[in-house]
Amino acid sequence: MSGETATGEGPTEALDRARSLLLRYRVPVGLVLVVLLLRPVISHPLLLGYEAVAATILIWMVFVAAFNLLFGYAGLLSFGHAMFLGFGMYAAAIGVSGRAGAPELPFPVAAAVGIAVAATVGYLLGRLTVEKGEIYFAFLTLAVAQAVEFTANRNPLNLTGGSNGVTQNVLPGFVESTRGQLVVVFTGLEIDWYWFVSAVFLVAMLALWQIVRSPFGRSLVAIRENGDLARAMGINTTRYKVQAFTISAAFSALAGSVLMIDRYGASQETLSVITSGDTVLMAVLGGVRYFFGPVAGVFVWQFTEEFLNEFEVLHLGFTSVDLSGVLTHWQFFLGALFVVLVVVAPLEGIWGYLRDWVRDLYVRVKGVAE
Amino acid sequence: MSTTELTREDLATVSPAWWAAGLLTVVLLAVTFAVEPGLFIDQAIGGLVYGMVLVLVTLGLSLILGLMGIVNFAHGAFFMLGAYISYSVVVTLGLPFWAALILAPLIVGVVGVVLEITVLRYLYDSDPIVSLLATFGLTMMIEEVIRAYWGTAPLEISRPSVLTRGTDLGVTTVPTYRLFLVGVAVITIAAVYLLISRTDFGLTIRAGVQDGEMTEFVGVNLPIRFTAMFFLGAALAGFAGVLYSAETGMRTTMGETFVILAFVVVVVGGIGSLFGSVVSGILIGVSAYLTPVVLSALAEVTNQPWLALQIRNLVPYLVMILILLYRPRGLFGEEGFLE
C-alpha cells in the first residue's frame, strides 16, 4: 500500500492518511481483492484445480448478500428467497428463448422484466407480512415460495417447462459457448465470462454497500435493534422494511438472471426449499452482522461442497484413510457445524471469528513489538 | 394454549360477507355432490385423512411452540423419521404393522428428548429465530442420516390384511385403512386435548406457559415437564409419519413438505389455540382435496373446461393468504402471540 506523499507532509502523516482512506474504502478494496484472488486461489491444484465454479460463486455471493440486506440488516429472516432468484432466472430464460409465444427479448430487457416482477412480488408480499413478527415472516415467505415452485411445476401456459425447466435457446446473442467455456462477445471484443460476472458482482455489491451505509441502511439497523425505539424516533418502520424487502428481491433477481446464463437455463430445483435453506445457511455460516459475512459464507459453503465431493483419500504420511464413504454425507457434518455455531454465537459466523482472531493477533504482535 | 369455542354471541357478530362466503361454499359443495356423488365422498374422505395427519403433525408443533417458544423446524424431520423407522420395523425386523405403530413413535420421541437435552435446552431464553435456525441445522442432520441409512428411493410397507379391504359407503367404496386412520387420529387428538385440559400434568404445563417463574416457585419441576412435552410432540409427529406413510409410502421430501404445511395450519388456526389448529387442519385437508372436484364440477355445469384446474397442492397456501388478508390473527388466534 503506497501512501501518496503530498508536498509539505511528513511520511507518517501521509501514511495515516493512506490508512484512513483504506479504512474508509475497505469494502470496495476487499471486493476487488475477492474478484482478483478468487479464481487463482480455487484453481490452485492443491485446492480445487479447476476454475469453472468461480463465476458461480461470485453470483451466489451477490444473491446471499441481497438476502442478507434483509436478514442481517433489517432483521427479517426470509425462508423463501429462492423464489426471487427464480423470478430473475425464469424471466431471463423465457425472454431470451421466446418460448411458447412469449415475446423474444434481448437479455437486458428480459432481466429487467424479471427484476421488476421480483420487486413487485417483494413489495406486495412485504406489505402483507413484514409486521407479522419474525417467525410468521419466515414461514410465510417459505409458504409463498412453495406455492411459486408448485406453480412453476404445473407449467402454466407452457412457459416454465415444468420439472424440466427452461433449457432450450437460452444463451443470449452476446454470449458464446466454446468447449464448455462461456465467452462474452461485445462489439468484436472477447471477454472471459468470469470478468463479465466480476463486473456485475462489483456493481451490485457496491450498490448494496452504498445502501447499507446510507441513512436508509442505518435506519434498518435501528429497526432491527429496537423497532419501538426506531418508531419513536420517527422512522416509518413498516415502510422501511417493505423497501428493504423490495430492494433485496430486486438484487436477488439480478443474480438469478446472470445465474441463468451461467447454468445454461432455468431449473426448477433453483426454486425449491433447499435453495432457500442453503441461502440462510450460507449467510449464517459467514456471519450476518457483517457485509463480508455472506461473501465468506458462500465461499466456504460452495468450496466445501465442491472440494468434499472430489476429496476421497486422506494421506497422513504413514497411512491413508479412505474417506469417500463418509464425506458424501458432508451435509450431516455441515449441519452439525451449523448447530454448534448457532448455539454458541448465532450472529458472528466465520467472518466474525476471523475478525476477532485477526484483531487479537494484531494486538498481540503490537504488544510484543512495543 | 387456551381453547376458544364458538358461542351464540360470536355467531351473531359474524359479518354479512362471511355469511355470503359460507353460503356460496355450501351451494358449490351441493352442486358438486349432485354432479359427482361418488368422487365427492371419495375426495372428502381423502381430504379428511390428509387433514387428520396435518392435525397430528401440527399438534406437536404448536405444543412445543406454545410451551417453550421454540419454533421446531425439525418437526417435519421427526415425521419423516417415524415413517422410515416403521419401514425398518416392518420390513427389516419382520414385526407386524401394529408394533411399528407403537415402536416408531417411541423411538422418535427418544430422539426428540436427546435433541432437547443436548441442543434446544440452551436456547429457551434466546430469540425464537435462533431456535428456528438451530432446528433447521438439526433437520439437515436428520435428513442426511435418513438418506444415508435408508437411501433416497421411495419405500413402501404392506398394511395388515384387516385394513387393506374396502368399506362400502353406498355411493362409493373407500379403503378401510382411511377410516381406520381417521378413527385413530380422532382418539389421539382427543387424548392429547384431555391431557392438556383435564389432568394435573396439563394444568402445571399451562401454568408454566403463563408464568414459568411462579410455577417453579410453587414446587413444579418445569424442566422435566418440558422434556416430557418435547417427547410427546416428537412422538406425535412420528406417529403421524407411520400412519401417513403406510398409505402413501416414504419419500425423502415428505419432511419439508409437512413442516411447512403444519405451520400453514398453525397460521390459519391462530397461533396459541389448540382448538384452532384442529379445525384449520381439517379445513385445509378437506378443502385441498375438494377444491379440484368442485372446480371440475363447475366446469361441467358451466361448460367452461378451463375451470378444471388441478390446484390441490396450492390450496393450503391460497387459504393462508386469504386468512392473512381478512383475519390476520387466524381463525381462533389470540392477538399478540409471537408478534
Side-chain angles (χ1 to χ4, degrees), chain B residues 7-156:
Chain B
T7 59
R8 201 172 282 269
E9 292 87 68
D10 283 338
L11 283 178
T13 55
V14 170
S15 72
W18 285 87
W19 279 113
L23 203 66
L24 185 68
T25 315
V26 171
V27 170
L28 282 176
L29 291 179
V31 168
T32 314
F33 186 71
V35 175
E36 293 172 285
L39 188 64
F40 183 83
I41 296 291
D42 211 33
Q43 292 296 304
I45 291 191
L48 199 58
V49 167
Y50 194 63
M52 283 299 171
V53 173
L54 278 179
V55 171
L56 282 179
V57 178
T58 311
L59 271 188
L61 187 77
S62 61
L63 280 177
I64 294 170
L65 178 65
L67 191 62
M68 310 170 196
I70 293 252
V71 184
N72 186 14
F73 202 94
H75 209 68
F78 290 156
F79 173 77
M80 185 156 78
L81 194 63
Y84 275 91
I85 288 174
S86 78
Y87 176 84
S88 280
V89 170
V90 172
V91 177
T92 316
L93 297 178
L95 294 171
F97 174 70
W98 311 106
L101 213 48
I102 297 179
L103 278 179
L106 287 180
I107 298 172
V108 176
V110 170
V111 171
V113 167
V114 169
L115 294 183
E116 198 266 345
I117 291 173
T118 51
V119 179
L120 295 175
R121 188 162 280 189
Y122 303 100
L123 301 176
Y124 286 151
D125 295 329
S126 51
D127 219 26
I129 215 88
V130 173
S131 66
L132 177 66
L133 290 172
T135 49
F136 183 65
L138 293 176
T139 308
M140 276 180 75
M141 294 169 71
I142 297 175
E143 286 188 347
E144 192 61 48
V145 167
I146 288 174
R147 277 197 291 269
Y149 187 75
W150 284 281
T152 49
L155 301 174
E156 265 180 31

Side-chain angles (χ1 to χ4, degrees), chain A residues 284-341:
Chain A
V284 175
L285 204 62
V288 294
R289 282 287 184 268
Y290 308 99
F291 189 79
F292 273 99
V295 173
V298 171
F299 177 76
V300 170
W301 174 279
Q302 300 271 356
F303 180 78
T304 315
E305 184 171 2
E306 294 283 332
F307 188 69
L308 291 188
N309 277 339
E310 301 288 313
F311 195 87
E312 275 171 359
V313 183
L314 178 66
H315 296 287
L316 290 173
F318 56 94
T319 178
S320 299
V321 190
D322 186 6
L323 289 176
S324 55
V326 179
L327 288 178
T328 46
H329 304 299
W330 61 278
Q331 286 219 336
F332 179 84
F333 300 103
L334 207 62
L337 174 71
F338 185 74
V339 171
V340 171
L341 194 73

Side-chain angles (χ1 to χ4, degrees), chain A residues 77 79 128 132 134-136 139-140 142-143 146-147 150 154 277 280-281 329 331-332 335-336 338-339 342, chain B residues 71 127 129-130 133-134 136-138 140-141 144-145 147-148 260 263 267 271 310 313-314 317 320 324-325 339:
Chain A
L77 171 57
F79 241 105
L128 204 59
K132 290 263 180 279
E134 48 190 4
I135 296 297
Y136 262 106
F139 273 93
L140 291 177
L142 183 53
Q146 190 87 337
F150 279 132
R154 294 227 58 96
V280 178
L281 286 172
H329 304 299
Q331 286 219 336
F332 179 84
F338 185 74
V339 171
V342 168
Chain B
V71 184
D127 219 26
I129 215 88
V130 173
L133 290 172
F136 183 65
L138 293 176
M140 276 180 75
M141 294 169 71
E144 192 61 48
V145 167
R147 277 197 291 269
I260 300 169
F263 204 83
V267 169
I271 287 192
Q310 290 299 317
N313 290 333
L314 267 179
Y317 308 110
M320 184 190 70
L324 280 176
L325 283 173
E339 280 179 19

Side-chain angles (χ1 to χ4, degrees), chain B residues 266-300:
Chain B
V266 171
V267 169
V268 170
I271 287 192
S273 166
L274 224 52
F275 182 67
S277 297
V278 175
V279 173
S280 80
I282 295 170
L283 178 81
I284 286 179
V286 173
S287 61
Y289 272 68
L290 281 186
T291 308
V293 187
V294 170
L295 285 176
S296 78
L298 263 187
E300 203 173 304

Side-chain angles (χ1 to χ4, degrees), chain A residues 35-36 39-40 55 58 191-201:
Chain A
V35 164
L36 291 180
R39 190 155 72 161
L58 284 185
I191 311 167
D192 200 61
W193 174 241
Y194 180 79
W195 295 120
F196 177 80
V197 173
S198 299
V200 176
F201 169 84

